């Protein structure tokens, strides 16, 4: 059992609120701070609504019990001081991360761990000067963290290596699915995989080979079905009689040709972006984006409930 | 309503049997031929088992009724002669496709349509010399076609363009999710998207940045959850307040950097393949591959039943 019983949330926007729910649901004591007093005051009501939505989808039993473990603090030091683990979820700008992490550094216990929700900026860009810099790393969630379990743990060069197995175990106990990215790389793992697929999708779209809607169907009615419960390596491991080596012997040349055909990458073009934006707005007008996002969250909750019910 | 009421299956392996189930389930008359007399004789029993499995998952009501529409034929001409639509699913080798399509060409009604299940060889490589070449195209399914609905329709340069909307409509009525690939491109759309993600996955694995298991988790516990019901474009359209153009303005530079970092692609290396094979066999010994494939199919059936129950 890990000893990370008290958790501080610094930054209580959508991501920070989702994190607060994750920790409280798992039984931790949660202390929330946000520099915006109105935002932090709204956090419990927002988390209550998330819990009610999850209760409706059969994902949590009780709403009030996890909420009772959440306290909103008036200062950062008050939130961070007693914490065993700190989840920083402030704005994704390096100077903001630097300033907030300096405050965390000053207030934290030296044995605490601080994970940053940064989706792109590596920890080395904003923790180098900290007294406790060996206790900082990236803990990048997918949005929203209370529905999508993946968390990327990415150390800076000076992160204490012992933190990785400890935080990995704690994240698993909290109900998340942590992975370890062994060194800093731009985009970490998740956004690199997403980006590779998106880059190909944009290139196909720009070449006029398929509509955005048809490219979406290729994933949602094809590739995505297996990827909802198996990763890409397990998928190909089960797609040839002799497993992944057999699959690779058959198909690696095709996939290499595909890579070579994209060896001169161009940025996503303005014309393609305008075209896809136009196609999307015909399907989904701007004033329905929020409604569709709510639909996505309901679909995610139902999918998570389904996936939990299945044999591993 | 389309008029493709009688369907011939040429090649009754796993893919052809899945296709026979798709058409029979939708009410079509199905005529099966395979050059291997033992294989074609086994097709009805194999399809009955697939239907029983689907019935167990709540995906079909009746097993005998669709089976009653399936006839096994002793010659290719007997299967193809009365067909409105022919689904060719023989071995993925160009000389085999050429020979079988020449036989289909000789036996088919001139107004019939022939779709090939080819996953990589374009129709232009084996239909150029045919009398009815304007009636041939690729109709590439995902395996197994009775569980994963996506079908890629890919014309050869000489395919009658009127076939595309007609076959697309028919595939939709048959319960599949067809897309139109507007011109021949290596890997079509599905395998290009899969390949882009796999190429990045292998590069990350080979660089030692993450284990194969952790890369798999990144998809199965992260990216794949949304992709099970939304494509990549809809996903990013809902991931920024202003939609896909807003998302692209923020993140296109990151994704372009990722593409540039892979602009010198190398083939999947033998060392990486051996490493991933070793890692997979520790998790899943060779003698359990079939059992795990059965698990995958049960999971797919349960997922398909879940997805069908959800609001679009």
């Amino acid at each position: 059992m890990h000893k990370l019983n008290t958790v501080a949330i610094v930054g209580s926007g959508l991501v920070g609120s989702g994190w607060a729910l994750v920790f409280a649901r798992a039984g931790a004591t949660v202390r929330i701070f946000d520099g915006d007093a109105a935002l932090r005051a709204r956090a419990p009501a927002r988390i209550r609504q998330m819990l009610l939505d999850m209760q409706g989808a059969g994902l949590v039993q009780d709403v009030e019990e996890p909420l009772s473990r959440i306290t909103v603090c008036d200062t950062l030091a008050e939130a961070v001081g007693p914490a065993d683990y700190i989840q920083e979820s402030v704005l994704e700008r390096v100077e903001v991360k630097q300033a907030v992490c300096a405050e965390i550094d000053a207030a934290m216990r030296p044995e605490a761990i601080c994970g940053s929700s940064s989706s792109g900026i590596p920890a080395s860009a904003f923790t180098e000067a900290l007294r406790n810099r060996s206790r900082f790393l990236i803990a990048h969630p997918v949005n929203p963290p209370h529905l999508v379990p993946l968390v990327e743990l990415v150390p800076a060069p000076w992160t204490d290596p012992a933190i990785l197995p400890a935080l990995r175990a704690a994240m698993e106990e909290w109900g998340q699915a942590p992975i370890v990215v062994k060194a800093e790389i731009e985009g970490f793992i998740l956004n690199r995989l997403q980006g590779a697929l998106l880059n190909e999708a944009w290139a196909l779209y720009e070449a006029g080979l398929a509509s955005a809607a048809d490219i979406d169907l290729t994933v949602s009615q094809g590739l995505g079905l297996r990827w909802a419960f198996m990763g890409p390596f397990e998928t190909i491991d089960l797609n040839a009689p002799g497993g992944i080596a057999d699959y690779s012997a058959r198909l690696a040349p095709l996939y290499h040709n595909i890579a070579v055909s994209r060896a001169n990458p161009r940025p996503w073009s303005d014309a393609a972006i305008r075209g896809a934006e136009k196609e999307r707005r015909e399907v989904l007008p701007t004033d329905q984006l929020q409604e569709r996002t709510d639909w996505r969250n309901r679909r995610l909750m139902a999918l998570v409930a389904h996936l939990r019910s299945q044999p591993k």
Side-chain angles (χ1 to χ4, degrees), chain A:
Chain A
M1 277 295 290
H2 68 81
K3 300 290 194 317
L4 308 180
N5 299 317
T6 299
V7 177
I9 301 289
V10 178
S12 69
L14 202 58
V15 173
S17 298
W19 272 122
L21 193 163
V22 164
F23 301 125
R25 174 177 69 185
T29 299
V30 179
R31 303 174 67 78
I32 293 181
F33 175 75
D34 193 292
D36 179 335
L39 193 64
R40 68 180 185 252
R42 275 204 306 277
R46 181 182 230 172
I47 296 164
R48 171 176 277 116
Q49 186 56 53
M50 291 171 171
L51 282 162
L52 286 168
D53 291 345
M54 293 180 81
Q55 193 181 40
L59 288 172
V60 297
Q61 305 279 317
D62 194 358
V63 168
E64 299 308 323
E65 197 259 344
L67 269 180
S68 72
R69 278 192 286 276
I70 298 177
T71 308
V72 177
C73 301
D74 288 332
T75 66
L76 184 142
E78 206 185 311
V80 164
D84 303 306
Y85 179 66
I86 302 138
Q87 184 73 42
E88 173 274 296
S89 305
V90 300
L91 196 65
E92 183 89 359
R93 275 172 47 197
V94 68
E95 65 277 15
V96 177
K97 298 266 187 211
Q98 271 169 344
V100 168
C101 286
E103 284 191 69
I104 292 172
D105 188 44
M108 74 195 281
R109 296 158 56 226
E111 66 273 28
I113 298 168
C114 180
S116 167
S117 299
S118 168
S119 65
I121 309 172
S124 60
F126 57 89
T127 65
E128 185 167 13
L130 303 179
R131 187 182 53 182
N132 299 299
R133 67 179 193 172
S134 72
R135 312 300 296 169
F136 283 73
L137 76 167
I138 301 297
H140 171 227
V142 187
N143 202 6
H146 60 291
L147 295 180
V148 184
L150 189 87
V151 182
E152 296 184 276
L153 305 181
V154 193
W158 42 79
T159 303
D160 177 356
I163 286 180
L164 289 166
L167 187 56
R168 181 169 195 149
M171 284 285 177
E172 283 171 355
E173 284 188 40
W174 286 324
Q176 302 302 97
I179 67 153
V180 172
V181 186
K182 290 177 189 165
E184 291 182 341
I185 182 172
E186 184 167 22
F188 312 142
I189 303 279
L190 181 132
N191 278 326
R192 291 190 74 89
L193 295 175
Q194 174 167 235
L197 188 139
L198 279 172
N199 286 332
E200 182 62 30
W202 279 110
L204 293 165
Y205 179 77
E206 190 165 8
L209 284 160
S211 65
D214 276 4
I215 292 170
D216 271 355
L217 283 173
T218 307
V219 174
S220 67
Q221 302 290 318
L223 293 166
L225 272 65
R226 288 175 295 204
W227 287 345
F229 61 93
M230 294 193 306
F233 286 124
E234 182 165 11
T235 296
I236 66 174
D237 196 37
L238 300 181
N239 254 1
I244 194 168
D246 182 19
Y247 181 96
S248 300
R250 296 165 193 239
L251 286 159
L254 165 68
Y255 291 126
H256 182 58
N257 286 350
I258 291 173
V260 168
S261 75
R262 301 301 186 202
N264 188 14
R266 290 180 302 164
W268 301 359
S269 82
D270 290 344
I273 294 168
R274 273 197 306 275
E277 171 75 19
K278 181 165 177 290
E279 195 186 324
R280 286 295 307 158
R281 294 291 74 76
E282 284 163 10
V283 181
L284 185 71
T286 303
D287 62 4
Q288 292 173 22
L289 273 166
Q290 185 54 51
E291 191 183 316
R292 187 73 174 167
T293 305
D294 295 342
W295 163 88
R296 178 200 66 193
N297 288 344
R298 289 192 302 274
R299 289 290 308 261
L300 264 180
M301 283 188 277
L303 177 61
V304 169
H306 160 76
L307 294 171
R308 283 195 193 163
S309 75
Q310 295 296 306
K312 294 283 171 235

